[in-house]
Amino acid sequence: MGTRSKKEETAPRYLRKRRRVRESLIQTFLYFCAGVSILTTLALVIVLGEESWLFFGSHEVDLREFFTTTVWQPAIGRFGVWPLVNATMMTTTIAMLVALPLGLAVAIYLSEYASERARSVLKPTLEILAGIPTVVYGYFALTFMTPLLRAIFGDNVVEIYNTASAGMVMGILILPLVSSMSEDALSAVPRSLREASYAMGATKLETAVQVVVPAALSGIAAAFILAVSRAVGETMIVAIAAGAGPAFTFNPFKAAETMTGHIVRISGGDLSYDSIDYNSLFALGLLLFLITLTLNFISRLFVERFREVYE
């Protein structure tokens, strides 16, 4: 340390390290922004935990009943969360069945087949879908997708409010997220892998499916898991199109209420503060938070496990 200081003292003036005030101010500001983000997240978790404890700590609530029964009617003291969780998982699964194959196909096309001109048109067009308000998607599901399903399967089979139409439109909503992140992962695969595949006589499709996609698997998987998190937390589409009222059913053409839809419907009513109904909203919010947090951890573990590093 002393040697370094001595060298700095003996160095010419123009080579000495100068204190850059502007850089220091920018660094401090960025550090402050990062700290605010972390503290905001911690504050959300603390508030959510405190309010949820008012629900789980109540003598009216039994944890075993909460996690094992299938009736959610807070007005009569029934707190089985499975109807809400089941509807959430159904809409999420349907959304993934729409978004994952379409998103991956779009990503492969943009990465491996599309010309620069086609990419410059298609990619911004897809990203516009992500900018449309979700309330518009909700009414699209109610006024277009539901009548379409009823025309195909019959009015007696498909109810006006159903999880199928909500899930399918939700898949359209998250399609840009899947395609954009997957396309970035595919484009990051080195050109040398493609050229080696072509040199072995593989076709473009074989190279894309058997070389490029496996090489970008970690990025594609991260995109899928983040899309699942987005679908689990989606609110307006399911609040408008899926149905109002908890129902434990595996029929996608029946009405059912998701966790987010239930929170929206109940929070807009005449709930008294600190009532068991009011506190149950925070319990559902905490459960949603834990589900999405778990998915994010799985995403990070998957990326670290299957990440490929190329020179």
Side-chain angles (χ1 to χ4, degrees):
M1 190 71 183
T3 306
R4 185 179 176 182
S5 301
K6 190 174 181 180
K7 285 182 179 179
E8 289 180 354
E9 290 174 0
T10 56
R13 180 181 295 274
Y14 66 92
L15 290 179
R16 292 180 187 174
K17 185 178 180 181
R18 291 187 302 176
R19 181 179 178 83
R20 299 177 182 272
V21 178
R22 182 178 297 179
E23 289 291 332
S24 299
L25 289 175
I26 291 174
Q27 184 177 353
T28 304
F29 175 73
L30 296 177
Y31 183 80
F32 172 77
C33 292
V36 168
S37 301
I38 294 173
L39 291 176
T40 303
T41 305
L42 288 176
L44 285 172
V45 173
I46 291 172
V47 171
L48 199 55
E50 287 180 347
E51 297 292 341
S52 299
W53 176 248
L54 297 176
F55 173 80
F56 289 114
S58 171
H59 67 278
E60 301 178 56
V61 179
D62 182 4
L63 274 180
R64 185 183 61 81
E65 179 191 355
F66 183 80
F67 286 111
T68 58
T69 59
T70 58
V71 178
W72 179 269
Q73 291 185 359
I76 60 173
R78 303 294 300 275
F79 297 104
V81 76
W82 274 109
L84 303 176
V85 174
N86 180 63
T88 302
M89 292 301 109
M90 282 183 63
T91 53
T92 301
T93 302
I94 294 170
M96 290 301 102
L97 290 176
V98 173
L100 299 191
L102 286 179
L104 183 57
V106 170
I108 291 175
Y109 173 73
L110 290 175
S111 173
E112 306 301 317
Y113 290 93
S115 62
E116 285 299 323
R117 184 176 180 181
R119 279 170 54 88
S120 65
V121 174
L122 289 176
K123 198 164 183 181
T125 304
L126 274 174
E127 291 171 351
I128 289 175
L129 291 174
I132 297 175
T134 54
V135 66
V136 176
Y137 281 104
Y139 283 106
F140 176 74
L142 192 61
T143 60
F144 177 80
M145 194 59 70
T146 296
L148 179 64
L149 292 176
R150 299 188 85 183
I152 296 173
F153 297 102
D155 294 349
N156 296 328
V157 176
V158 182
E159 295 183 354
I160 294 177
Y161 297 99
N162 60 84
T163 54
S165 61
M168 292 171 71
V169 174
M170 198 190 303
I172 298 172
L173 169 69
I174 60 179
L175 175 62
L177 172 67
V178 176
S179 61
S180 181
M181 291 187 65
S182 300
E183 194 265 339
D184 290 341
L186 294 172
S187 299
V189 175
R191 182 71 188 169
S192 58
L193 288 183
R194 296 177 175 84
E195 292 174 349
S197 177
Y198 295 145
M200 296 295 291
T203 64
K204 205 163 191 174
L205 179 61
E206 290 171 340
T207 301
V209 175
Q210 300 179 13
V211 175
V212 179
V213 170
L217 183 61
S218 62
I220 295 171
F224 286 1
I225 295 174
L226 287 178
V228 173
S229 301
R230 176 70 178 83
V232 168
E234 171 52 36
T235 304
M236 288 310 299
I237 295 176
V238 293
I240 293 173
F248 188 73
T249 175
F250 292 100
N251 188 344
F253 298 136
K254 298 286 185 182
E257 195 170 48
T258 66
M259 287 189 284
T260 52
H262 181 76
I263 291 172
V264 168
R265 182 173 65 86
I266 297 300
S267 61
D270 298 326
L271 286 180
S272 58
Y273 177 75
D274 206 23
S275 65
I276 193 69
D277 286 8
Y278 178 83
N279 293 332
S280 69
L281 301 181
F282 291 93
L284 293 176
L286 179 64
L287 187 59
L288 270 175
F289 173 76
L290 293 176
I291 291 174
T292 53
L293 184 65
T294 303
L295 289 172
N296 286 334
F297 274 122
I298 293 174
S299 173
R300 292 183 64 85
L301 290 175
F302 201 92
V303 169
E304 291 177 2
R305 172 67 179 81
F306 295 99
R307 184 180 181 184
E308 300 281 351
V309 179
Y310 302 100
E311 294 182 355

